[in-house]
Amino acid sequence: MKEASAETLFWNQSTWETNHSVVTEFILIGLSNSRELQIFLFAFFFVFYVGIVFGNLLIVITVTNDSHLHLPMYFLLANLSFIDLCVSSVTAPKTIADFFYKHKVISVKGCFTQIFLLHFFGGSEMVTLVAMAFDRYVAICKPLSYTTIMRGNVCVGIVATAWAIGFLHSVSQLAFAISLPFCGPNRVDSFYCDLPRVIKLACAETYRLDIMVIANSGVLSVCSFVLLIISYGIILMTIQRRPSDRSSKALSTLTAHITVVLLFFGPCIFIYAWPFPIKSLDKFLAVFYSVVTPLLNPIIYTLRNTEMKTAMRRLRQWNLNFWVKS
């Protein structure tokens, strides 16, 4: 009888330790268990990530080296391209490497680092897009005051503010989440760590934290998106009232800006603010946000911008001349 009681006690203790052991790593479920589909996804992510690195670095290098592009709009564009490169680099390299492994794991510290960097760069990009809308508003609606308002030190201050807000946004997201206890399930239903999915695994009540995430990321995304749409609506009405040869150029630039805004805020709003999440849709939007949008941004801006295409041709010609001389 004593032996049976001892065995029962030992079994109960072992069960308790198993169920309440501290989680040291998370398992990423990924996008699919199909080997054939994983090969396709590996090629997809690899090609897109190479395009992201090449395209966004090309914009940064072109804007930096071409004096004709040392203007506020292109300074902000180069910052946006650098952020896009960083956003994609947080998740894409590990995702590409994970296709070679059956068990996709990430440490708890690595997981929270991913979350911090995603929200840091995401918050910075959000403010940068607002700044680019403000730049176009001043250029089109107040052209005589443009050089006075968008001075060099103002542009640097705007970019510094964007990075600072991104940092504060990310810290406020993690301030409470990082102290959550994880002692049970550790399977994250995604190919990277993001806050809404990770906090569901905590061994604690997370209702208030869920509300905070919606209030912080969701409401901020929706409000910024509405503000941008209103701003671009005002700019479009201004363009229509001033028909001229320059209007078509301004409209082309504006169309590129609005397209990028829709590509960025669409996934953010559905992931962080939509009250009825759909797993398959969330995964699709996560892929779109991670590798599709950062690749489309440089394509959109270069294809619809004559000055950028001309500057890239000058850069290519300069490189050819350099190699010929050497």
Side-chain angles (χ1 to χ4, degrees):
M1 190 73 177
K2 289 182 179 180
E3 290 179 0
S5 298
E7 288 179 1
T8 303
L9 180 63
F10 175 77
W11 185 86
N12 288 335
Q13 184 177 357
S14 299
T15 303
W16 187 91
E17 288 176 353
T18 301
N19 292 335
H20 297 272
S21 58
V22 177
V23 171
T24 58
E25 63 184 20
F26 291 110
I27 299 173
L28 301 173
I29 295 178
L31 294 169
S32 173
N33 292 323
S34 168
R35 188 61 186 168
E36 292 77 13
L37 187 55
Q38 286 196 40
I39 293 173
F40 167 77
L41 289 170
F42 165 77
F44 174 83
F45 270 81
F46 181 79
V47 170
F48 269 62
Y49 184 63
V50 170
I52 289 165
V53 173
F54 176 78
N56 286 289
L57 278 180
L58 181 61
I59 288 180
V60 173
I61 293 170
T62 303
V63 172
T64 303
N65 288 284
D66 197 309
S67 59
H68 297 86
L69 299 182
H70 290 176
L71 301 169
M73 184 180 79
Y74 296 107
F75 177 71
L76 294 173
L77 174 59
N79 185 64
L80 178 68
S81 294
F82 180 71
I83 293 174
D84 277 334
L85 175 60
C86 292
V87 167
S88 185
S89 297
V90 173
T91 58
K94 176 167 175 52
T95 302
I96 292 169
D98 280 345
F99 286 119
F100 293 100
Y101 299 99
K102 185 177 180 180
H103 300 289
K104 305 166 179 60
V105 298
I106 184 171
S107 66
V108 172
K109 289 183 179 179
C111 185
F112 279 106
T113 300
Q114 261 195 353
I115 293 171
F116 172 81
L117 291 175
L118 278 174
H119 286 272
F120 174 42
F121 295 127
S124 302
E125 182 161 359
M126 197 177 297
V127 180
T128 301
L129 289 171
V130 173
M132 293 176 77
F134 176 73
D135 171 76
R136 289 301 85 202
Y137 170 78
V138 176
I140 294 170
C141 300
K142 299 181 181 296
L144 298 178
S145 305
Y146 182 74
T147 54
T148 304
I149 296 173
M150 298 300 294
R151 301 186 306 275
N153 57 344
V154 172
C155 294
V156 173
I158 288 173
V159 169
T161 301
W163 287 92
I165 291 176
F167 178 79
L168 292 175
H169 164 69
S170 188
V171 169
S172 66
Q173 291 281 76
L174 287 181
F176 302 101
I178 203 166
S179 60
L180 286 173
F182 294 94
C183 53
N186 65 337
R187 295 171 65 84
V188 180
D189 190 13
S190 185
F191 60 96
Y192 67 88
C193 287
D194 199 9
L195 199 55
R197 297 187 184 277
V198 172
I199 60 177
K200 291 178 181 178
L201 305 177
C203 303
E205 178 57 51
T206 60
Y207 175 76
R208 291 182 180 179
L209 189 57
D210 288 331
I211 296 299
M212 190 208 70
V213 171
I214 293 174
N216 195 330
S217 294
V219 175
L220 186 62
S221 299
V222 172
C223 291
S224 299
F225 178 70
V226 171
L227 177 64
L228 283 167
I229 294 300
I230 293 172
S231 301
Y232 283 125
I234 295 171
I235 297 171
L236 286 171
M237 288 189 292
T238 303
I239 292 174
Q240 288 179 347
R241 288 198 300 266
R242 300 177 184 175
S244 65
D245 295 335
R246 298 183 63 183
S247 295
S248 58
K249 179 183 176 182
L251 186 61
S252 177
T253 304
L254 206 61
T255 303
H257 282 240
I258 294 172
T259 305
V260 169
V261 166
L262 292 174
L263 290 173
F264 176 79
F265 281 96
C268 286
I269 290 171
F270 273 99
I271 292 172
Y272 296 107
W274 189 250
F276 310 106
I278 304 171
K279 287 185 178 180
S280 57
L281 180 61
D282 281 355
K283 284 189 177 182
F284 170 77
L285 292 174
V287 172
F288 198 86
Y289 176 79
S290 300
V291 292
V292 178
T293 301
L295 178 63
L296 290 178
N297 285 356
I299 293 174
I300 291 167
Y301 280 116
T302 52
L303 290 180
R304 300 190 66 88
N305 192 300
T306 305
E307 291 179 354
M308 181 62 71
K309 288 189 286 187
T310 303
M312 287 182 175
R313 282 195 291 268
R314 282 196 295 265
L315 181 64
R316 183 179 62 182
Q317 189 61 44
W318 182 87
N319 283 325
L320 288 174
N321 294 336
F322 174 79
W323 287 110
V324 168
K325 290 178 180 179
S326 60

